[in-house]
Amino acid sequence: MRNVSPAWRDALPKVACVALCVALAGCASAPTEHRWLSLPLDVSLPTASAPATTHAIPQLRLQRVQIPEYLQSTRVRFRDSAATLAEWPGVRWAERLEIGLTRHLGLQLAGLGQAGWICADPCDTVPAGGSLQLNYVMLDHERPSARLHALAQWTLTPPPGSASTPRRGQLRWSEAVLEDTPAGQAAAMARVNAAIARDIAQQLRP
């Protein structure tokens, strides 16, 4: 058997220790299991509206809701100071936030107007009333104050060939986050989205 030099004999414990540390680090870096969060679609759903009249709101195509780029992620982010953001650990949005907000807004608007007046992409036909775009300039959960602050702008673009001009509106809203959890944040976002839907529907009525 080949003899091991004294230098190697002394180094073996250190090599074994390094190998063990590497193995442990690999175990520690294994993907963590996440909980998946979604907007509660049943929060503040409007009651059925009155029967449609000849002056009903025209059908609209709902475009995807726009949100700040720092929220365009499956990570659930909140503001922990005026200049910094943080993330809830171990939690991810089940779908990108802007997709969930669009679906929720469509449900809200559908309950506030004539049945079928909202058409979310993809639509089978070109809506007669044009398209509706909602843009959240701000949608921040300020965790230290337990409040959700929103600044939303919406634009109603008439269909091609229409003599009408685009209509626009803006709404600033502040909502209490009732529970200091990711679910509490999602519920507050749903309530804000519902409030904005009510404001849009009211301003679009003839």
Side-chain angles (χ1 to χ4, degrees), residues 81-120:
S81 77
T84 58
L85 298 169
E87 300 172 348
W88 291 100
V91 180
R92 296 289 186 270
W93 289 111
E95 59 187 350
R96 290 174 67 93
L97 178 57
E98 61 269 32
I99 297 175
L101 287 168
T102 303
R103 181 180 297 108
H104 183 268
L105 182 67
L107 288 172
Q108 298 293 321
L109 290 170
L112 291 166
Q114 176 188 4
W117 80 290
I118 286 292
C119 172

Side-chain angles (χ1 to χ4, degrees), residues 3-25:
N3 293 329
V4 178
S5 68
W8 271 105
R9 190 181 302 111
D10 294 339
L12 281 175
K14 296 180 181 179
V15 172
C17 182
V18 170
L20 178 61
C21 290
V22 170
L24 291 175

Side-chain angles (χ1 to χ4, degrees), residues 2-202:
R2 185 177 180 181
N3 293 329
V4 178
S5 68
W8 271 105
R9 190 181 302 111
D10 294 339
L12 281 175
K14 296 180 181 179
V15 172
C17 182
V18 170
L20 178 61
C21 290
V22 170
L24 291 175
C27 295
S29 62
T32 58
E33 185 175 346
H34 298 304
R35 290 181 298 149
W36 302 100
L37 181 68
S38 67
L39 292 179
L41 298 180
D42 59 340
V43 170
S44 303
L45 281 176
T47 56
S49 57
T53 67
T54 56
H55 299 290
I57 302 173
Q59 189 182 33
L60 297 174
R61 170 175 281 139
L62 178 61
Q63 305 287 353
R64 180 174 292 186
V65 171
Q66 301 296 307
I67 59 175
E69 186 172 355
Y70 56 80
L71 295 177
Q72 296 175 21
S73 171
T74 58
R75 296 177 182 272
V76 187
R77 292 170 176 161
F78 58 86
R79 190 168 291 281
D80 59 354
S81 77
T84 58
L85 298 169
E87 300 172 348
W88 291 100
V91 180
R92 296 289 186 270
W93 289 111
E95 59 187 350
R96 290 174 67 93
L97 178 57
E98 61 269 32
I99 297 175
L101 287 168
T102 303
R103 181 180 297 108
H104 183 268
L105 182 67
L107 288 172
Q108 298 293 321
L109 290 170
L112 291 166
Q114 176 188 4
W117 80 290
I118 286 292
C119 172
D121 285 330
C123 297
D124 295 331
T125 60
V126 178
S131 62
L132 177 64
Q133 176 71 70
L134 175 64
N135 175 28
Y136 277 106
V137 179
M138 174 177 62
L139 186 62
D140 291 348
H141 172 201
E142 190 178 87
R143 194 177 174 193
S145 64
R147 297 202 69 83
L148 182 72
H149 301 288
L151 174 61
Q153 299 172 341
W154 59 267
T155 302
L156 173 61
T157 303
S162 172
S164 302
T165 58
R167 298 175 60 183
R168 295 180 175 86
Q170 178 172 293
L171 181 67
R172 188 180 295 273
W173 195 271
S174 180
E175 181 77 19
V177 179
L178 303 179
E179 181 182 336
D180 187 29
T181 63
Q185 177 175 329
M189 286 180 168
R191 292 194 299 272
V192 167
N193 217 36
I196 290 173
R198 291 192 296 269
D199 182 75
I200 291 175
Q202 183 63 34

